[in-house]
Amino acid sequence: TLGFHSLTITRLRFSHDGKYLLAVCRDRKWSVWERNLEDNSFTLLQGHEKPHSKIIWDGDWAPTEFGNSFFTASRDRSIKSWIFDNEQKIYVQQNLIKHTKPVTALAVHNQVIDGRLFIAAGLENGDILVYKYDSNGFELLIKLDDKITPADKVSRLRWSTNNTGGDNQFFLASASIDNSTRIYSVKY
């Protein structure tokens, strides 16, 4: 048992190299657990008591080649990026972006392209936005048209790990509490 949180954990994600486990929770906390690869035990590397002012709905890791970093999405309408500071030996907030509605789902693509990440955000009202991200912050690539997005809260987003959509194209799947599952083709 990995004890740190006091309410329901809303998302768990292993880092791409399998060394870390990120947990985000309704208690507004996140925790990062470091895995001992020899005996598969886990030790709390860092827990952050109040990184957001409301429930953290989702979290996801950046690809390993982007550095030791992850993202959190919250009911406080923000997405925050966190990067490991090698001098302080802790994760520190790098950037944030605010939205008009709570952010309920988040997905970071598993490839770095031209030094940037692609991050999809799903909102409580069904909106889906895709950002390019680098250390300078978030840049909106596209807001999907309301005619093709869910009618209600986006509960999950996931990028395809196999870029079979052709040149400069990714597939993004979404699930919503409106009972829909949708797949989008996103050009970059």
Side-chain angles (χ1 to χ4, degrees), residues 10-11 13 24 55-60 71-75 77-80 99 101-108 119-131 150 152-159 172-177:
T10 55
R11 193 75 70 235
R13 291 270 190 258
V24 298
I55 295 167
I56 303 174
W57 285 120
D58 210 346
D60 203 1
F71 296 81
T72 54
S74 173
R75 189 173 189 176
R77 303 177 182 191
S78 70
I79 298 173
K80 294 183 179 183
H99 295 84
K101 299 287 181 191
V103 185
T104 55
L106 174 74
V108 179
I119 300 171
L123 305 186
E124 188 175 71
N125 66 347
D127 285 351
I128 297 175
L129 304 101
V130 177
Y131 294 96
D152 210 336
K153 176 176 129 178
V154 178
S155 56
R156 300 283 187 276
L157 290 170
R158 196 57 39 209
W159 291 103
L172 175 67
S174 75
S176 170
I177 63 168

Side-chain angles (χ1 to χ4, degrees), residues 29 34 57 65 109 114 129 146 156 161 174 177:
K29 301 174 188 176
E34 187 170 23
W57 285 120
E65 62 268 26
H109 196 277
D114 297 328
L129 304 101
D146 291 343
R156 300 283 187 276
T161 58
S174 75
I177 63 168

Side-chain angles (χ1 to χ4, degrees), residues 10 25-26 28 52-57 73-76:
T10 55
C25 185
R26 295 179 70 93
R28 305 177 209 169
H52 288 274
S53 62
K54 295 189 177 179
I55 295 167
I56 303 174
W57 285 120
S74 173
R75 189 173 189 176
D76 68 9

Side-chain angles (χ1 to χ4, degrees), residues 31-154:
S31 59
V32 175
W33 300 83
E34 187 170 23
R35 179 178 168 203
N36 178 328
L37 298 174
E38 292 178 13
D39 65 6
N40 284 321
S41 62
F42 289 82
T43 305
L44 181 64
L45 179 64
Q46 183 180 347
H48 199 307
E49 291 288 334
K50 296 284 187 209
H52 288 274
S53 62
K54 295 189 177 179
I55 295 167
I56 303 174
W57 285 120
D58 210 346
D60 203 1
W61 289 94
T64 307
E65 62 268 26
F66 196 77
N68 188 351
S69 60
F70 63 89
F71 296 81
T72 54
S74 173
R75 189 173 189 176
D76 68 9
R77 303 177 182 191
S78 70
I79 298 173
K80 294 183 179 183
S81 64
W82 304 89
I83 189 164
F84 192 75
D85 183 314
N86 287 314
E87 290 180 15
Q88 297 182 62
K89 302 293 185 205
I90 61 169
Y91 289 93
V92 295
Q93 184 182 319
Q94 185 177 41
N95 287 298
L96 83 106
I97 187 165
K98 294 288 276 183
H99 295 84
T100 59
K101 299 287 181 191
V103 185
T104 55
L106 174 74
V108 179
H109 196 277
N110 68 340
Q111 295 176 337
V112 178
I113 297 176
D114 297 328
R116 294 178 143 193
L117 300 176
F118 291 86
I119 300 171
L123 305 186
E124 188 175 71
N125 66 347
D127 285 351
I128 297 175
L129 304 101
V130 177
Y131 294 96
K132 292 180 183 180
Y133 180 85
D134 62 21
S135 61
N136 295 317
F138 297 85
E139 176 188 337
L140 183 64
L141 176 65
I142 187 171
K143 178 188 177 295
L144 299 182
D145 191 302
D146 291 343
K147 294 175 186 169
I148 61 171
T149 56
D152 210 336
K153 176 176 129 178
V154 178

